[in-house]
Amino acid sequence: MLTEKPINPDDLDHAVRPGDDFFGYVNNIWIRKNPIPANEARWGTFYVLRYEVEEQIKKIFEGLVATPAGKLDDSGKKVKYFYESGMDVDHVNAEGDAPLAPLLDAVNGIHDVNDLVRTIGFLHRRGIGVFWAPSPEPDAKSSDRTALYFSQAGLSLPDRDYYVNADEKSVAIRKRYADYAALMLAHSSIAADAQQFSKINDIEKTLAKHSMTRVELRDFEKQYNKMSWEELSKRAPHIDWNIYCEAIAIRKPEFVIVCQPEFMAAVSELFQSVPLESLKAYLRWQVLNAMSNFLSEDFAHRSFEFYGKTFGGATEIKPRWRRVLNVVNGMLDQAVAKLYVERHFSAAAKTRVNQLVDHLTEAYRARIKRLDWMSDATKEKALTKLNAISRKLGYPDVWRDISALTIVPGAYLENRLNAHIFEFDRQMKKIGKPVDRSEWLISPQTVNAFYLGLQNEIDFPAAILQPPFFYPDGDDAVNFGGIGMAIGHELTHGFDDEGSRFDANGNLTNWWTEDDRARFDKLTARLAAQFDAYELLPGLRVNGKLTLGENIADLGGLLIAYDGLTLALKENPVGAIDGFTPFERFFISYAITERSVAREEALRTQVQTDPHTPAPYRVNGPLPNMDEFYEAFDCKPGDALWRDPKDRVKIW
């Protein structure tokens, strides 16, 4: 459990000097006392809090299960039926993979390429990401209206590099994937496809070869390719887009934004060059693999043996209740959220966090004004954008209506498919319409925070607005080091290497002078180089380019939160607590929120796929660029974290 005491001096590793390893100074003792659970790939502050939230939701679900359906409202009844259907493990086991029959029948009914396209749409509506992914999002260059985007998809491994890299570990993972697929197929109703796996894998390798890398995916300009349907048909001539639109139940819009044109062209070519039976085998495999956790436990356990162990290093599968809870919580997020916030969130917490955002926005405004590398013309537009950032804190004022969704007792996979179709159709109805900027896109019971560039907004769900990120009755130092830094981090995302390319309205446009952009790029390149040098394991280094946006946001967020605390202390001076000054408590509080340890497998996967820098460099990476850190802990030349003033990167 997370302690209600923000900082306990006995929890600090006094054998480590803060100037040598601040992450270790704050977190070593906790990490030694709290080994990673067998069913987790990593452990730390975020994960402990998520467990607590899941336990809170579990009690809510158990209350619904114990209540007769006739005494529940419509949304409570749907949550009850969905959770019960997943927890009835005897029934789920007895069915094996029989619930896949409607999906497999659709694939087996393919007789030509038009049928193939129609079935792809059928599967997309049900959340099976074959070949490409459709999504309605604000048009990046006209962000007040919703556009249809197509992006790369269809891989079974977490990243395209696992298919194309020639290093020993990638080769070993490909071998394990082949063994896993053979085992899954052999024990399924599509066992014959085991003989087709090499052809299935060839299709995935082709998709991977033509997919953008994780670093390339951070370039929004390259991914904004607006096309008429005629232009798309020329790029991908073997796909009948009229049939596809009919299959996903939409009218063909005026245009589509294709994020990876080369990828879509490669998919089209596959439809011409690969035998139809091989394409059908690929679809059947994707259905089985994507839906394995909704089938009998033997399928779920095989999936864990490959994905959970290979990419996370966990040694045990999560308990059934936790797996089912997360499915229901994700699919019926707002129905669950309403029940959650009624029990676990106060209006007073929302009010105080709102005040923190005000302080931090003021601090950011002052910091922009005194930048020495940015011209007045760009500063004016930066301030306009900052002032326009909207905020969603806690939970929405209006809950989404799910009365038209069908959830029935005793049908776990069917309920999951119905829930996805319901949400898919709801999203698709947005295409061509004005963007509803009041809509909550993040569920209130999510332990995380977000900046949404196309909306130019920050989101802080109810679940993260609690210890150790936020103490409703805590001192300013711990709150600015915790939730305050998180707020500053998300604000800074509006001005990182990606967010800085969107204007105050969320439009992808250049609002910088040419010289200012060049100076900004020079500074961010220095930061990327710093993180490239950090070695996590022998031969395994942080990817400074992939993690650049998060590293900019960490550094900027810390500086803004520090400034916010300075402003707050002028209004309400506070002395030392437990022997620590407010600024020492600020940095310790931040390091506690970034407390995390990962298994080697999870660490390797994170470096390859995640834009967040792994611990301990979420702490020991940005702090050496901060004069304020050196002052708080009296750091001097010779300390391991010391960086000469000329080498310290200062951006925002």
Side-chain angles (χ1 to χ4, degrees):
M1 297 292 287
L2 295 166
T3 177
E4 286 298 320
K5 184 178 177 62
I7 297 172
N8 186 342
D10 294 336
D11 289 342
L12 303 179
D13 187 352
H14 297 285
V16 176
R17 297 183 67 252
D20 287 335
D21 175 9
F22 194 71
F23 178 88
Y25 167 69
V26 175
N27 295 318
N28 278 351
I29 290 177
W30 187 94
I31 289 172
R32 285 198 291 267
K33 290 180 177 178
N34 295 273
I36 303 172
N39 55 30
E40 293 293 338
R42 61 188 78 239
W43 198 238
T45 297
F46 271 90
Y47 305 94
V48 174
L49 182 51
R50 285 169 184 159
Y51 262 49
E52 292 191 358
V53 170
E54 287 175 6
E55 291 284 355
Q56 292 167 340
I57 295 173
K58 181 186 180 187
K59 289 180 180 179
I60 294 171
F61 285 7
E62 289 174 342
L64 295 174
V65 169
T67 304
K71 294 185 177 181
L72 297 173
D73 63 12
D74 180 69
S75 61
K77 191 182 301 183
K78 286 180 168 65
V79 174
K80 170 188 171 74
Y81 287 160
F82 201 166
Y83 185 66
E84 286 178 334
S85 69
M87 290 303 295
D88 188 352
V89 67
D90 290 339
H91 178 68
V92 172
N93 283 341
E95 289 195 311
D97 69 347
L100 294 180
L103 304 173
L104 296 175
D105 287 348
V107 176
N108 293 335
I110 296 172
H111 299 293
D112 55 31
V113 172
N114 286 344
D115 286 342
L116 173 67
V117 172
R118 188 175 293 109
T119 303
I120 289 169
F122 173 88
L123 296 176
H124 284 172
R125 280 188 80 208
R126 287 152 180 81
I128 301 169
V130 292
F131 291 115
W132 67 87
S135 59
E137 304 285 350
D139 184 334
K141 295 196 175 180
S142 183
S143 63
D144 288 332
R145 300 198 73 80
T146 305
L148 176 60
Y149 287 73
F150 288 155
S151 56
Q152 63 193 40
L155 302 180
S156 300
L157 299 179
D159 185 65
R160 50 91 64 194
D161 287 356
Y162 289 113
Y163 293 89
V164 300
N165 286 355
D167 62 281
E168 183 179 341
K169 290 190 178 297
S170 296
V171 171
I173 285 172
R174 290 197 288 272
K175 173 63 167 60
R176 289 193 66 180
Y177 172 46
D179 293 342
Y180 158 70
L183 184 64
M184 286 283 280
L185 289 164
H187 287 83
S188 75
S189 57
I190 52 172
D193 280 346
Q195 306 304 316
Q196 286 256 38
F197 179 73
S198 63
K199 296 176 181 178
I200 294 169
N201 200 34
D202 285 344
I203 291 171
E204 292 193 18
K205 286 192 290 186
T206 299
L207 297 177
K209 178 182 176 182
H210 293 280
S211 295
M212 283 187 174
T213 67
R214 295 275 175 165
V215 173
E216 289 171 334
L217 289 172
R218 302 190 74 250
D219 189 332
F220 285 102
E221 282 286 357
K222 284 184 179 179
Q223 294 184 84
Y224 188 86
N225 303 284
K226 189 174 182 178
M227 299 182 188
S228 68
W229 289 94
E230 291 73 19
E231 291 171 323
L232 177 59
S233 295
K234 289 179 181 178
R235 290 286 190 115
H238 305 301
I239 302 173
D240 189 320
W241 295 104
N242 290 314
I243 290 176
Y244 178 73
C245 288
E246 180 182 339
I248 62 171
I250 67 168
R251 291 183 177 180
K252 189 168 70 173
E254 180 183 349
F255 63 87
V256 65
I257 298 170
V258 181
C259 296
Q260 297 88 24
E262 180 189 341
F263 178 87
M264 293 303 299
V267 171
S268 175
E269 182 57 32
L270 279 174
F271 290 1
Q272 181 71 13
S273 61
V274 174
L276 194 61
E277 286 306 312
S278 297
L279 295 168
K280 290 167 67 174
Y282 163 81
L283 293 182
R284 284 190 292 263
W285 164 241
Q286 290 295 319
V287 166
L288 174 63
N289 196 33
M291 297 293 105
S292 59
N293 287 309
F294 302 92
L295 306 176
S296 55
E297 283 285 72
D298 53 347
F299 285 105
H301 279 262
R302 290 186 193 106
S303 178
F304 165 76
E305 286 292 318
F306 177 60
Y307 289 105
K309 291 187 175 181
T310 303
F311 301 105
T315 57
E316 293 179 7
I317 194 170
K318 288 181 172 63
R320 177 98 191 165
W321 73 263
R322 181 160 271 130
R323 287 179 277 142
V324 175
L325 180 146
N326 281 310
V327 169
V328 178
N329 186 32
M331 302 302 296
L332 304 183
D333 58 342
Q334 288 215 352
V336 177
K338 184 174 185 294
L339 299 168
Y340 175 79
V341 299
E342 286 172 355
R343 294 162 173 79
H344 299 291
F345 190 69
S346 71
K350 187 172 183 176
T351 298
R352 186 162 183 205
V353 171
N354 206 40
Q355 293 168 346
L356 280 169
V357 177
D358 288 340
H359 269 102
L360 290 158
T361 302
E362 181 182 349
Y364 208 161
R365 189 177 295 117
R367 187 165 281 276
I368 289 172
K369 288 179 179 178
R370 63 176 183 264
L371 288 175
D372 60 4
W373 58 265
M374 181 180 280
S375 69
D376 289 342
T378 305
K379 283 182 183 179
E380 182 178 350
K381 292 179 180 178
L383 291 168
T384 298
K385 178 171 184 177
L386 177 65
N387 294 335
I389 293 177
S390 61
R391 61 186 75 164
K392 290 189 172 79
L393 307 175
Y395 56 91
D397 295 325
V398 179
W399 299 105
R400 189 175 303 143
D401 178 15
I402 62 168
S403 58
L405 168 62
T406 300
I407 298 292
V408 297
Y412 189 37
L413 178 57
E414 180 184 342
N415 287 334
R416 188 274 182 206
L417 296 174
N418 287 346
H420 195 281
I421 292 169
F422 178 83
E423 180 60 15
F424 183 94
D425 290 349
R426 188 184 76 83
Q427 293 290 341
M428 289 296 165
K429 289 174 183 175
K430 298 177 181 180
I431 297 170
K433 295 180 180 178
V435 172
D436 179 5
R437 292 183 180 260
S438 69
E439 181 182 5
W440 271 66
L441 303 178
I442 311 300
S443 64
Q445 64 274 33
T446 300
V447 181
N448 214 328
F450 303 87
Y451 171 77
L452 305 178
L454 293 170
Q455 290 83 359
N456 194 29
E457 75 176 35
I458 56 172
D459 289 8
F460 282 80
I464 201 172
L465 301 180
Q466 56 184 314
F469 296 93
F470 175 63
Y471 293 85
D473 299 319
D475 63 289
D476 282 333
V478 297
N479 279 332
F480 275 96
I483 200 66
M485 187 279 171
I487 293 166
H489 174 103
E490 300 307 333
L491 288 172
T492 305
H493 270 315
F495 304 90
D496 66 18
D497 63 314
E498 291 181 318
S500 63
R501 299 185 184 278
F502 294 84
D503 66 13
N505 295 317
N507 289 313
L508 183 60
T509 186
N510 182 26
W511 48 272
W512 297 64
T513 68
E514 188 174 331
D515 288 343
D516 287 339
R517 175 58 71 177
R519 284 189 286 266
F520 177 75
D521 289 346
K522 186 175 181 180
L523 289 169
T524 60
R526 288 178 58 201
L527 189 66
Q530 285 182 1
F531 280 83
D532 277 337
Y534 293 133
E535 190 170 46
L536 300 156
L537 296 169
L540 182 69
R541 294 182 182 274
V542 176
N543 184 334
K545 290 182 179 179
L546 176 60
T547 60
L548 181 57
E550 296 297 333
N551 297 334
I552 293 170
D554 280 346
L555 178 56
L558 278 164
L559 289 165
I560 295 156
Y562 187 98
D563 290 353
L565 174 58
T566 302
L567 291 171
L569 290 174
K570 287 180 180 178
E571 298 175 6
N572 182 29
V574 177
I577 299 175
D578 291 332
F580 296 108
T581 70
F583 293 113
E584 289 174 325
R585 288 172 68 77
F586 167 85
F587 285 110
I588 293 170
S589 177
Y590 168 62
I592 289 172
T593 65
E594 292 299 336
R595 175 181 288 160
S596 179
V597 61
R599 301 182 190 277
E600 179 178 338
E601 296 88 344
L603 198 60
R604 292 186 180 279
T605 302
Q606 182 178 356
V607 167
Q608 190 152 331
T609 64
D610 193 333
H612 295 84
T613 294
Y617 294 108
R618 288 293 296 272
V619 175
N620 290 349
L623 294 187
N625 289 309
M626 295 182 63
D627 302 342
E628 297 84 351
F629 169 69
Y630 296 123
E631 294 166 6
F633 288 93
D634 193 28
C635 298
K636 294 180 173 58
D639 290 346
L641 295 182
W642 177 269
R643 184 171 284 132
D644 288 340
K646 65 180 176 58
D647 296 326
R648 297 172 195 170
V649 175
K650 300 182 185 298
I651 303 173
W652 291 105

